Amino acid sequence: MNDIDAIAALQDPVRRRLYEYVAAQGREVGRNEAAEATGVARTLAAHHLDRLAEAGLLDTGSRRLTGRSGPGAGRPAKVYTRAREERAVSLPARDYRTAAELLAEAAEQAGLDAGLCAAARRRGEALRGSAAPCGGLEEAMETLAARGYEPHLEAAGTAEGVGGAGEASGAGAAAVVRMRNCPFHAVAERFPPLVCGMNLALLEGLLGTGGAVRARMAARSGECCVVVEAADEEL
């Protein structure tokens, strides 16, 4: 299925709501959970989830949702996660990814990391405009969400995010903002030090330095390489 057909699958409002819910969880989601969360019948949710999988927007698997194993544990249930493959449509056709990769390759070979980071920090500051540095994690999450980073709050050092602002798992742990999406993922995979450093500098400019939050590197597979935390937390 081509990108236009895949994106067209989201035209149905129920299907789009299910896709957005699964994508926001950052983990496997079963049919019952998705149906309950979006307020639709399980059979309807199953139909639309499978259509999303057929379109290549969701990946599927199976596991026992009871957490038990062995006799009496029940049959494995079908589960869904957001597909890692990117989908994009440009009319007329454009190829900005190739241009970005060529520029990144040239910058890396020429040792232009410092210059790129300086330019990224200036761009972040320009995007922030006259606004003061972010006043807290909630404001930072709003700023990051507007840029497509898909932020979520979690306790420092935990393996999974809790998925909701204002919550954190783990008693006494300092909350950090992690991001499920890296807008530069395709290029970052090929040139991680260069692009991740650029991303950090961009977010430093966007969120502001010397304020209530700070960005730092804390790479984790499947997520953005940067986290945001309260500026008074120790590294």
Side-chain angles (χ1 to χ4, degrees):
M1 180 174 290
N2 62 38
D3 286 357
I4 293 178
D5 291 337
I7 293 172
L10 295 172
Q11 184 176 3
D12 183 284
V14 174
R15 198 173 299 158
R16 182 167 183 174
R17 202 157 68 241
L18 285 161
Y19 172 79
E20 290 174 344
Y21 177 77
V22 173
Q25 304 315 302
R27 56 174 173 78
E28 294 176 329
V29 174
R31 289 171 168 175
N32 288 340
E33 178 188 346
E36 183 176 352
T38 55
V40 300
R42 183 186 183 280
T43 52
L44 181 61
H47 166 73
H48 284 303
L49 289 167
D50 285 340
R51 287 292 302 275
L52 289 166
E54 291 169 7
L57 296 172
L58 296 180
D59 289 334
T60 62
S62 63
R63 66 178 176 88
R64 289 188 173 91
L65 299 177
T66 62
R68 303 195 306 271
S69 60
R75 297 176 59 185
K78 195 169 188 178
V79 291
Y80 304 82
T81 55
R82 178 168 59 181
R84 293 186 61 83
E85 183 181 358
E86 295 180 10
R87 299 286 185 174
V89 174
S90 177
L91 299 172
R94 297 289 186 262
D95 191 3
Y96 299 114
R97 175 174 173 175
T98 297
E101 290 178 348
L102 288 170
L103 290 168
E105 182 178 355
E108 186 174 76
Q109 291 179 353
L112 300 179
D113 303 55
L116 177 61
C117 287
R121 192 171 289 105
R122 290 194 299 270
R123 175 58 63 92
E125 292 168 351
L127 291 170
R128 180 162 51 87
S130 60
C134 281
L137 293 182
E138 183 175 348
E139 183 181 346
M141 289 180 70
E142 293 176 357
T143 300
L144 294 166
R147 303 297 303 177
Y149 283 91
E150 300 182 6
H152 62 104
L153 200 67
E154 69 173 38
T158 59
E160 296 290 338
V162 297
E167 300 176 336
S169 59
V176 297
V177 175
R178 282 195 174 269
M179 295 164 267
R180 292 196 174 97
N181 183 51
C182 171
F184 316 110
H185 173 72
V187 187
E189 279 195 316
R190 289 197 57 189
F191 308 96
L194 181 77
V195 178
C196 291
M198 177 201 74
N199 186 32
L200 174 61
L202 177 71
L203 292 181
E204 287 174 341
L206 181 65
L207 301 175
T209 56
V213 302
R214 68 177 172 211
R216 64 176 175 85
M217 287 288 193
R220 188 165 73 188
S221 177
E223 294 191 339
C224 177
C225 58
V226 178
V227 299
V228 176
E229 63 188 1
D232 57 355
E233 296 295 340
E234 295 184 2
L235 291 173

